[in-house]
Amino acid sequence: MADKHLLLDFGGVCLLNPVEIHRELERSLGIPQGTLTWMGPLDPSTDPLWQQLMSAEITERQYWHQRARDVGVAAGKGDDWTLRDYMTACYDLPEEVILRPEAQKMVDACHAAGRKAGVLTNDLCAFHGPQWVDSIRFFQSLDALTDASQTGILKPDPRAYQQALDDLGVKREEVVFVDDQPLNVQGARDFGIATVYFDVADPQRSWAEARELLSL
C-alpha cells in the first residue's frame, strides 16, 4: 500500500473543543464554577443541542452561535454576545495550552517520513478571525491550509475535499482525513478518502488509528 498523506480538520481535532475548557472559561469570565453543564462530544447526554447537531437537525455554526449566546448570558454580557466574542474568550491562551500536542507530532512525523500534511476546516477565519490565525505557529508547519469559510464551500460538500486535495497537491486515494464531525467523515468517505472519526472523548485512540492508517 502506498504511503498516505495527512489531512486534518482543525477545531476539535487539533484545537481543543470549547467544552474541554469550560472550567478555565468560567474562571476567566467570572462565571460560577459548574455553570456550563453542556458537554457536547464529551457527554452528549448532557447536551440536547449537541444531539440535534449529531442528528443533522441543526448545523455546527448554529450550535456554536447558540452556545456563544448562552455563555454571554451566563457572564452578564447579554444575549447578543457574538460567536467571535466567545471564541476569543475561549482561545486567548498560549498555543501550547489550546492545541493538542499530538497534532503537531503527527504533522512532524509525516514530514519526517516524506509525506505532506494539511488542514481542511470549515470555520477557521469565520470563528477566530485572521489575526488569531496568523498568530498560530502550527499553521506555518503545514503544507496547505484550506479554510472553507474563505472558499465558501463547506464540508461535507465534495468540492471542499477536492479543493483541499488540490491545495495539498495529492489525489483522494493518497490521503487519510481526520475529523470530529460524523457528517464530514462520511462525506470524505463517500468521496473516496480514507477516514478517521476523531473521538474528542478518546483522542489518544483516534491518533493511534490515524497513525496506523498512515503506517507511521
Side-chain angles (χ1 to χ4, degrees):
M1 184 175 64
D3 291 341
K4 290 184 180 292
H5 307 280
L6 176 65
L7 185 60
L8 295 167
D9 178 37
F10 184 65
V13 175
C14 304
L15 183 72
L16 293 178
N17 188 292
V19 304
E20 298 180 84
I21 52 177
H22 271 341
R23 305 291 82 85
E24 290 84 354
L25 185 62
E26 288 169 343
R27 280 192 288 271
S28 68
L29 293 176
I31 300 172
Q33 289 286 287
T35 297
L36 306 179
T37 58
W38 38 273
M39 297 303 295
L42 291 185
D43 187 357
S45 69
T46 68
D47 197 339
L49 198 63
W50 184 265
Q51 295 173 36
Q52 291 181 41
L53 171 59
M54 292 298 98
S55 62
E57 297 174 52
I58 62 172
T59 67
E60 191 172 7
R61 287 185 178 184
Q62 287 173 320
Y63 175 87
W64 290 116
H65 276 290
Q66 181 58 54
R67 288 313 184 200
R69 288 191 289 269
D70 294 340
V71 173
V73 169
K77 308 290 186 180
D79 61 4
D80 59 348
W81 213 43
T82 68
L83 180 57
R84 186 71 62 80
D85 292 332
Y86 175 42
M87 291 296 168
T88 298
C90 285
Y91 298 115
D92 187 21
L93 293 166
E95 187 169 340
E96 57 271 19
V97 174
I98 58 176
L99 292 188
R100 301 187 196 280
E102 295 85 359
Q104 187 67 68
K105 291 176 183 177
M106 187 72 76
V107 169
D108 292 344
C110 283
H111 288 159
R115 326 272 187 84
K116 295 180 179 180
V119 159
L120 170 60
T121 176
N122 269 359
D123 297 302
L124 185 58
C125 279
F127 281 16
H128 301 282
Q131 184 174 0
W132 184 88
V133 173
D134 290 343
S135 74
I136 299 298
R137 297 185 305 277
F138 172 74
F139 295 126
Q140 300 170 15
S141 69
L142 300 173
D143 298 287
L145 170 60
T146 305
D147 180 4
S149 68
Q150 295 185 310
T151 67
I153 304 171
L154 303 177
K155 300 173 288 185
D157 189 316
R159 295 174 297 168
Y161 305 104
Q162 187 60 60
Q163 183 64 61
L165 295 176
D166 292 345
D167 291 345
L168 199 55
V170 299
K171 300 176 181 178
R172 68 186 74 185
E173 63 270 19
E174 298 175 333
V175 165
V176 172
F177 176 60
V178 184
D179 198 296
D180 66 326
Q181 292 297 315
L183 284 177
N184 296 338
V185 171
Q186 187 61 52
R189 188 176 299 135
D190 292 344
F191 192 63
I193 297 174
T195 61
V196 173
Y197 166 65
F198 190 91
D199 185 353
V200 173
D202 192 1
Q204 297 306 319
R205 181 204 59 76
S206 302
W207 290 120
E209 184 178 348
R211 282 186 174 274
E212 183 175 357
L213 283 179
L214 290 161
S215 301
L216 290 176

